[in-house]
Amino acid sequence: MVVVSQFILIFTPRNEKSTVKRQHIIISKGTELVRVPLDCLMYVEADGNYSKIVTKDGRERLVLLQLGQVEDLIAEQIDEFEGEILRLGRKHIINLNYIHVIDIAKQVLVISDCEGSYHKLEASKDALVKLKSYVETW
């Protein structure tokens, strides 16, 4: 344990599992660090070699990582994505808590917090069929 000023920092070695449930994800690359509370993360979208992080306040942040790299970072930080964060096809990582509409026929997924943040995402029929089945049993 290290005491710094009024703050107590507790370090857990990397090989030991922490029993504290993580409440945020951290995406760090180069000189930039992005910290997003899990309950604010709506989705992450692939944008070429970058990824766009979208939060429920409507803000978007482009990070210098491909979607697969963001997925790996989330997986490292949150055990099994805590059952709330899911990769959807090749283009998205979504927070299941914000699924509002799954329209397989139109190939549209609507992510909304029902308080003003509303996003239409395009996805393949196959991905949406699997998502609908998963959500029905979740």
Side-chain angles (χ1 to χ4, degrees), residues 86-88 94 96 99 101-102 109 111 125-136:
L86 181 74
R87 174 79 182 252
L88 179 66
I94 61 170
L96 296 175
I99 292 175
V101 176
I102 299 172
L109 170 67
I111 302 287
K125 286 184 181 184
D126 184 48
L128 291 174
V129 166
K130 290 176 183 174
L131 178 63
K132 181 178 179 285
S133 175
Y134 181 78
V135 170
E136 289 171 338

Side-chain angles (χ1 to χ4, degrees), residues 6 10-11 26 33 35 55 57 69 73 75 80 87 95-96 101 120 136:
Q6 296 177 332
I10 301 172
F11 296 97
I26 295 174
L33 181 137
R35 183 176 181 262
T55 55
D57 62 1
Q69 294 171 307
L73 279 174
E80 299 175 16
R87 174 79 182 252
N95 187 331
L96 296 175
V101 176
K120 280 186 174 181
E136 289 171 338

Side-chain angles (χ1 to χ4, degrees), residues 3-80:
V3 178
V4 179
S5 183
Q6 296 177 332
F7 301 102
I8 299 175
L9 304 174
I10 301 172
F11 296 97
T12 304
R14 287 183 179 253
N15 58 357
E16 291 182 25
K17 282 273 190 182
S18 173
T19 58
V20 177
K21 183 176 178 182
R22 190 151 252 213
Q23 301 296 317
H24 58 273
I25 59 166
I26 295 174
I27 298 169
S28 181
K29 175 85 172 176
T31 61
E32 180 181 62
L33 181 137
V34 179
R35 183 176 181 262
V36 181
L38 276 176
D39 62 342
C40 292
L41 176 69
M42 294 193 83
Y43 67 95
V44 183
E45 184 173 64
D47 189 359
N49 286 329
Y50 304 100
S51 296
K52 179 173 61 174
I53 299 169
V54 180
T55 55
K56 76 178 192 177
D57 62 1
R59 294 177 192 242
E60 299 178 358
R61 180 69 183 192
L62 201 62
V63 294
L64 303 172
L65 295 170
Q66 295 177 343
L67 192 64
Q69 294 171 307
V70 173
E71 181 183 21
D72 291 344
L73 279 174
I74 293 171
E76 288 172 12
Q77 295 176 39
I78 304 168
D79 292 337
E80 299 175 16

Side-chain angles (χ1 to χ4, degrees), residues 82-117:
E82 299 289 323
E84 299 172 1
I85 309 296
L86 181 74
R87 174 79 182 252
L88 179 66
R90 298 169 65 184
K91 196 166 180 181
H92 297 100
I93 297 171
I94 61 170
N95 187 331
L96 296 175
N97 294 313
Y98 294 113
I99 292 175
H100 184 59
V101 176
I102 299 172
D103 190 333
I104 296 167
K106 293 181 182 175
Q107 293 182 267
V108 170
L109 170 67
V110 176
I111 302 287
S112 175
D113 67 353
C114 297
E115 295 177 1
S117 188

